[in-house]
Amino acid sequence: MYLESYGPQPINALTGASRAFFMAPPPGFAEVPLLTPRPVMLVAAPGDEALLEAELSRHPMLSAIGVAAARAMVPLLRPAALTRAAMENDAMAMDVAAIHQGYLRGFRALGGRIVTDARVRALTRRADGWRIETPAGDFAADIVVDAAGAWADRVAALAGARPRGLQPKRRTAVIVPAPAGHDVRRWPLVSDVAETYYFRAEVGDLLVSPADQTPVEPCDAQPDEIDVAVAVDRLEHALDIAVRRVLHKWAGLRSFVGDGNPVVGWDGAVDGFFWLAGQGGYGIQSAPGMADYVAALLAGRPNPIPALDPATVAATRTITATKGKEHP
């Protein structure tokens, strides 16, 4: 999803700066639209009304709607799970596969080379630059950009840089059959404002997540059965349905540092080492803006995103430890 209201302020700024690229990508980038309209509904359960008010005050793109209007859009919403609601009508669904392939084509067209099965074994800084040792061969570079996702701290340690406290967190999603007699493709994405679940249509079925953020080590994440069960349970509490089977389940990693903002910029202590980490669950929607910002820093140009305060994402800032969110 492309949501300008999603995440902390620096992410909002980067996401907003990405809209123009997604709406009008370079010629040949993709043969399909990258964004298509899909409104988002935020709902407040009893006791969470103040959270919704805070979101409404923070994000001008959100507008309050009545409970009756919310249930008209999603008729199966349980009244007991809904006391207030708001809409972000300008939200968009993203064609992530098309976006990814477009980036790869552009990278290769500019002479970029992708080397796989090349885990970094050693990073050595020499007078003439970096030497990177991998099973696929050794490489030389003037600058190393640490965009290693959940493994970014480990790569930094190989380079002699101080880790920034990056914490990978597992996020689970499942697909379940849509309720009979309901065209869920017309529904908005629905998320509770306390971030304990969200669901949306997925090719005629329902995708649901318990919005888990379970701290884990960097890994090839797999869904935990308790998270799958929690996802189903929360969907059944939000909607008047009974889930009889799960069609598909998976998990991924979203990596954060303590303040929730990305870690972007020169290391400050290790020459030629540049951080691009901690993008959490916002990396795809903010990628074009982030790319413009990173390119400017690497080339020594001014910040191209006025709404982004570089101090809030700088790799040299003081970062406190992060915590995970277990299921209540």
Side-chain angles (χ1 to χ4, degrees):
M1 293 294 294
Y2 178 87
L3 294 167
E4 292 191 42
S5 65
Y6 187 40
Q9 195 282 327
I11 292 295
N12 299 158
L14 290 162
T15 302
S18 300
R19 179 182 281 271
F21 180 95
F22 287 134
M23 296 301 291
F29 187 87
E31 297 179 354
V32 297
L34 302 182
L35 302 181
T36 54
R38 183 186 294 232
V40 168
M41 181 190 298
L42 278 181
V43 300
D48 290 336
E49 295 84 358
L51 293 176
L52 189 63
E53 283 297 326
E55 290 298 301
L56 284 165
S57 64
R58 193 165 79 91
H59 296 296
M61 67 282 295
L62 289 172
S63 56
I65 63 170
V67 170
R71 298 197 70 226
M73 282 185 273
V74 185
L76 294 179
L77 279 169
R78 292 185 185 272
L82 172 64
T83 59
R84 293 208 58 196
M87 293 295 298
E88 182 174 343
N89 289 308
D90 290 336
M92 301 277 189
M94 309 182 72
D95 190 329
V96 174
I99 293 167
H100 188 209
Q101 291 303 314
Y103 290 146
L104 291 175
R105 279 193 296 272
F107 179 68
R108 293 186 176 112
L110 291 170
R113 183 163 65 101
I114 298 169
V115 181
T116 58
D117 294 324
R119 177 190 293 267
V120 177
R121 290 174 173 167
L123 276 168
T124 306
R125 182 70 180 175
R126 299 179 174 180
D128 58 349
W130 288 98
R131 178 183 173 87
I132 304 102
E133 299 176 27
T134 83
D138 294 347
F139 300 87
D142 295 329
I143 294 169
V144 167
V145 176
D146 185 359
W151 288 263
D153 265 352
R154 295 188 179 184
V155 169
L158 291 173
R162 177 177 57 82
R164 296 304 193 257
L166 194 72
Q167 176 62 67
K169 299 180 182 182
R170 189 176 63 235
R171 169 63 56 93
T172 307
V174 303
I175 295 177
V176 300
H182 292 268
D183 185 0
V184 299
R185 293 172 297 180
R186 298 179 179 272
W187 290 4
L189 181 148
V190 178
S191 174
D192 79 313
V193 71
E195 294 189 77
T196 65
Y197 69 83
Y198 58 84
F199 62 85
R200 63 169 173 82
E202 178 71 15
V203 195
D205 292 310
L206 277 178
L207 179 151
V208 58
S209 172
D212 47 325
Q213 297 187 75
T214 305
V216 294
E217 292 296 310
C219 65
D220 178 12
Q222 300 297 319
D224 189 289
E225 288 305 317
I226 185 62
D227 295 326
V228 173
V230 169
V232 171
D233 180 69
R234 290 182 179 173
L235 182 67
E236 292 180 331
H237 277 81
L239 295 178
D240 187 13
I241 64 172
V243 176
R244 303 301 183 193
R245 60 194 176 106
V246 171
L247 302 175
H248 189 49
K249 56 188 176 182
W250 70 97
L253 298 183
R254 306 158 79 247
S255 297
F256 299 85
V257 295
D259 60 12
N261 293 342
V263 179
V264 187
W266 298 105
D267 180 78
V270 178
D271 187 41
F273 191 84
F274 189 99
W275 288 84
L276 177 51
Q279 296 174 78
Y282 323 109
I284 294 294
Q285 69 169 25
S286 63
M290 179 68 85
D292 284 344
Y293 179 67
V294 168
L297 289 184
L298 288 168
R301 299 194 303 265
N303 173 18
I305 304 176
L308 177 65
D309 178 358
T312 63
V313 298
T316 54
R317 73 187 189 273
T318 300
I319 303 172
T320 57
T322 185
K323 295 181 180 180
K325 183 181 75 172
E326 303 290 352
H327 292 307

